[in-house]
Amino acid sequence: MKTQILEPSQENIRLASNALKNGQIVGIPTETVYGLAGNALDPEALAKIFDAKKRPTFDPLIVHISTDFDLGSLVDFSQLSAQAIENLQKLTQAFWPGPLTLVLPKKQLIPDLATSGLKSVAIRMPRHPVAQALLKEVGLPLAAPSANRFGRISPTSASHVMDELKGKIQYIIDAGSCEIGVESTVVELKLDGAVHLLRPGGVSQGEIEKLLGLTLKVGSPLKTASPGMLENHYAPLRPLFLLETHALEASFDKALGALETPPNRLGVLLFSGSAHKTQDLLSQKLGLPVTARCLSPSGDLLEAAKNLFAYLRELDDCGADILTAEPCPVSDGIGFAISDRLKKAATK
Ligand code: TXA
Ligand code: MG
């Protein structure tokens, strides 16, 4: 199959929408990362998503809806307590459309394949105008995991999707780089009103806690409840080690120990500062070529999140046989999501 990149014109949105209605799968932009979309109500389309991504079917998908979609057609509100309904209303009013995914009790209509047999379904209302235009045109809920092969770095541009899924899908809609750069926050609303954070992301834990006036339980008692929680995810092909740059020289031997032969080039991901200066300094000190990328020269967290996956990908492809990354210095807000992705991308 030839994969075509489409500009997001009205005509192309119609083309992609028709393909989706016919059970095909399409790469689409969202404000977080690019998704691989298919009709959430069609098990055959869902099977194509799992197949193209080589994703294990125990990993459930997120169902995306348009701003005018009736949530009640997918979610069984009757199971939710009054407290849970109140929390749901507050969360959707504050953060939808946007980078917040809510796990809610599902109705029968949603195929088991979408939820991996769970009784709950993850729902997200993206705010990206192209995603919304497509959702409205197609008039269906769209299941869309990130458009990467399972376990690999999530795509934040159409060309990343091409690298990941070329030949496996017909269309990718290109709307440039994603505004946020890390995936949505996944929150589970328990029937009794408790709220669990399953994956940190575009909406911070603090914002949610402030809005609801409660403390989120982090993680889930079920090990497989959110494979975004799996230890190894978002991974480059080269071994990646998390190292403070000032400790890099000293710790480098340890990292080298993981390689069978000495490296030809080192790739370094900095959180802030000058990529050029660090690149020169390190290659002098270590006596080997270094390629460095800096997530945000001024240390701005939002800029860092936006660049994270693209720079990991560039370093993975720069000819280096080993990568290091500075840990994110901030552990709250979007910093929690960046730290989470870096830890999971790192070699264990
Ligand atoms: O930002 C995003 O959320 C992107 C864009 C494309 O919208 N999508 C995305 O999908 O990140 P994916 O499939 O890569 O991640 C979905 C996460 C997984 O960790 C999955 O396990 C969790 O959501 N999830 C889905 N349904 C769930 C459920 N019923 N219970 C618990 N976790 C669930
Ligand atoms: Mg993913």
Side-chain angles (χ1 to χ4, degrees), residues 305-325:
K306 191 174 154 68
N307 289 329
L308 177 66
F309 289 138
Y311 287 1
L312 271 177
R313 224 169 246 279
E314 283 180 25
L315 290 174
D316 210 14
D317 293 339
C318 78
D321 22 33
I322 185 166
L323 310 178
T324 65

Side-chain angles (χ1 to χ4, degrees), residues 110-123:
I110 302 171
D112 279 343
L113 197 49
T115 63
S116 305
L118 294 171
K119 293 196 174 101
S120 57
V121 59
I123 304 204

Side-chain angles (χ1 to χ4, degrees), residues 32 55 59-60 62 64 120 122 124 145-146 183-184 199 225-228:
T32 55
R55 179 174 172 125
D59 190 357
I62 295 177
H64 295 64
S120 57
R124 162 157 141 72
S146 48
E183 294 86 345
S184 62
R199 178 177 73 182
S226 194

Side-chain angles (χ1 to χ4, degrees), residues 10 43 65 69 96 125 146 187 190 192 196 236 247 266 337 347:
Q10 192 52 49
I65 58 172
F69 194 83
W96 274 12
M125 185 186 280
S146 48
V187 152
K190 296 286 183 185
D192 64 0
H196 290 195
L266 167 70
T347 305

Side-chain angles (χ1 to χ4, degrees), residues 101-115:
T101 295
L102 296 174
V103 176
L104 293 159
K106 84 174 187 91
K107 279 199 169 160
Q108 279 259 303
L109 175 74
I110 302 171
D112 279 343
L113 197 49
T115 63

